[in-house]
Amino acid sequence: KRPKLHPYRMAEGSQSNSTFQCPAFFILTGIPGLGDGQAWLTLVFGLMYLLALLGNTTLLTVIRIDSTLHQPMFLLLATLAATDLGLATSIAPELLAVLWLGPQPVQYTACLIQMFFVHALTAMESGVLLAMACDRAVAVGRPLHYSILVTKARVGYAVLALTLKVVAVIVPFPLLVVRFKHFHTKIIYHAYCAHMAVVELVMGNTWVNNMYGLALSLAVSGVDILGIAGSYGLVAHAVLRVPTHEARVKAFGTCSSHICVILAFYVPGLFSFLTHRFGHHTVPKPVHILLSIIYLLLPPALNPLIYGVHTKQIRDRFLEMVKFRKKQF
């Protein structure tokens, strides 16, 4: 009998010398080079997605039902949880299907939509972390004026302004792809529709796409990192002025959970950015794709755990909810 070819292999062989005009769909391959072994990664990334769903939903529920938590710091935390929930959901279902079932088709429009939400929610998370750092700087540096300087209304305006900024700077990503009419191949050697992974397929001059992606990464993440560093410089200066050691430890403890969240987001992101931009020919592609997935799924999975453990108000309210549930049964 003649062996039956896998649809992905058939597509790969049939388009070796072909070009495609506005394809109806692309094919996501997952992580090249791992073969059937990538199915085992479904357990790891599936667990991370489950933690992200349960943790962030619980965090949003606790903040919503407890009126004492309707304060600027917790409203920013709720914004971060909603962003994490959207970020994880924007890639996890498609990612898990590709890893478990093998290469999967994704419609052209759906690919562009996923591209927008992945990059938009990543930029949104970076901006929220900056806003939270500024909030902590005011809380530690100007505690007597905190309630005047940081209000719920100002937090709402800040989140709205951040959302509009993110939409404005990320919309060009899919638009810069739509302008290309011919593609070398339909196969995306990636686990989700990242901007540069799609750009690699197009026929034409992609200099604008490359430069815009690089400039946006440096402008958005770079400015946010500088702002966070400046905010915590002010926090450190204020903490060192506190007279007693116990008071310094308490003041710094209010920022510990946020520092852990910042590290969980920016450290994998920095490695992913450096390997993609400067280690393109030295770092294996599977490593780069794994880093990019971890960068998108690890923070949503860890953030609720970090805040749940380190923030007393949330921890106590969650325990009260659990005890109340037990009494009902």
Side-chain angles (χ1 to χ4, degrees):
K1 278 188 177 182
R2 185 177 179 180
K4 188 177 181 180
L5 293 176
H6 193 282
Y8 162 58
R9 295 298 179 189
M10 293 174 65
E12 185 179 36
S14 64
Q15 60 189 349
S16 58
N17 294 315
S18 303
T19 59
F20 300 90
Q21 185 172 3
C22 290
F25 65 91
F26 292 115
I27 298 175
L28 289 169
T29 65
I31 305 174
L34 296 186
D36 295 335
Q38 67 181 356
W40 292 101
L41 292 174
T42 308
L43 300 176
V44 178
F45 295 133
L47 178 60
M48 292 170 68
Y49 181 48
L50 181 62
L51 287 174
L53 288 178
L54 294 177
N56 289 291
T57 302
T58 301
L59 201 57
L60 287 169
T61 303
V62 169
I63 294 173
R64 180 178 180 275
I65 66 176
D66 190 347
S67 59
T68 64
L69 298 179
H70 295 176
Q71 303 170 23
M73 181 182 76
F74 296 107
L75 294 178
L76 286 172
L77 179 54
T79 305
L80 180 68
T83 303
D84 281 337
L85 203 56
L87 181 59
T89 303
S90 67
I91 76 158
E94 188 75 39
L95 167 69
L96 297 176
V98 171
L99 294 180
W100 184 254
L101 301 174
Q104 296 293 306
V106 55
Q107 289 187 350
Y108 178 78
T109 303
C111 187
L112 296 181
I113 292 173
Q114 184 185 51
M115 178 194 304
F116 170 79
F117 277 104
V118 167
H119 293 289
L121 291 170
T122 302
M124 185 73 182
E125 176 141 351
S126 181
V128 174
L129 291 178
L130 172 60
M132 295 175 76
C134 295
D135 173 78
R136 291 299 85 203
V138 176
V140 175
R142 303 285 295 277
L144 299 179
H145 302 88
Y146 178 79
S147 60
I148 300 174
L149 297 173
V150 184
T151 64
K152 290 191 286 186
R154 288 180 177 175
V155 168
Y157 291 139
V159 172
L160 177 60
L162 176 60
T163 303
L164 294 176
K165 183 199 80 170
V166 165
V167 171
V169 299
I170 300 299
V171 161
F173 270 147
L175 295 182
L176 286 173
V177 174
V178 167
R179 67 193 179 98
F180 293 105
K181 301 303 181 183
H182 295 87
F183 294 77
H184 293 289
T185 176
K186 295 180 180 180
I187 300 173
I188 301 176
Y189 293 96
H190 211 290
Y192 62 91
C193 290
H195 174 246
M196 293 311 300
V198 177
V199 169
E200 290 176 355
L201 311 184
V202 304
M203 297 181 64
N205 189 345
T206 60
W207 183 85
V208 174
N209 298 69
N210 296 330
M211 288 300 102
Y212 187 78
L214 179 60
L216 189 62
S217 297
L218 295 176
V220 174
S221 298
V223 170
D224 290 347
I225 290 172
L226 288 176
I228 291 170
S231 298
Y232 275 99
L234 296 175
V235 169
H237 182 262
V239 168
L240 292 175
R241 291 165 55 192
V242 177
T244 64
H245 176 72
E246 291 77 11
R248 286 196 295 270
V249 172
K250 183 178 179 180
F252 186 74
T254 62
C255 306
S256 59
S257 56
H258 187 236
I259 293 173
C260 293
V261 168
I262 289 170
L263 293 175
F265 180 74
Y266 283 110
V267 171
L270 182 62
F271 276 106
S272 178
F273 176 80
L274 292 177
T275 55
H276 180 74
R277 294 293 175 182
F278 305 107
H280 189 71
H281 298 291
T282 57
V283 178
K285 193 174 182 68
V287 174
H288 166 64
I289 296 176
L290 280 171
L291 285 173
S292 67
I293 295 171
I294 292 171
Y295 169 52
L296 297 178
L297 285 182
L298 184 63
L302 288 184
N303 291 351
L305 298 177
I306 293 171
Y307 278 110
V309 171
H310 288 270
T311 308
K312 185 178 184 299
Q313 297 98 316
I314 293 176
R315 185 173 64 248
D316 292 345
R317 185 63 179 126
F318 175 72
L319 292 176
E320 289 176 9
M321 289 173 57
V322 172
K323 290 178 182 178
F324 178 74
R325 290 287 184 183
K326 286 183 177 179
K327 288 181 181 179
Q328 283 187 323
F329 292 103

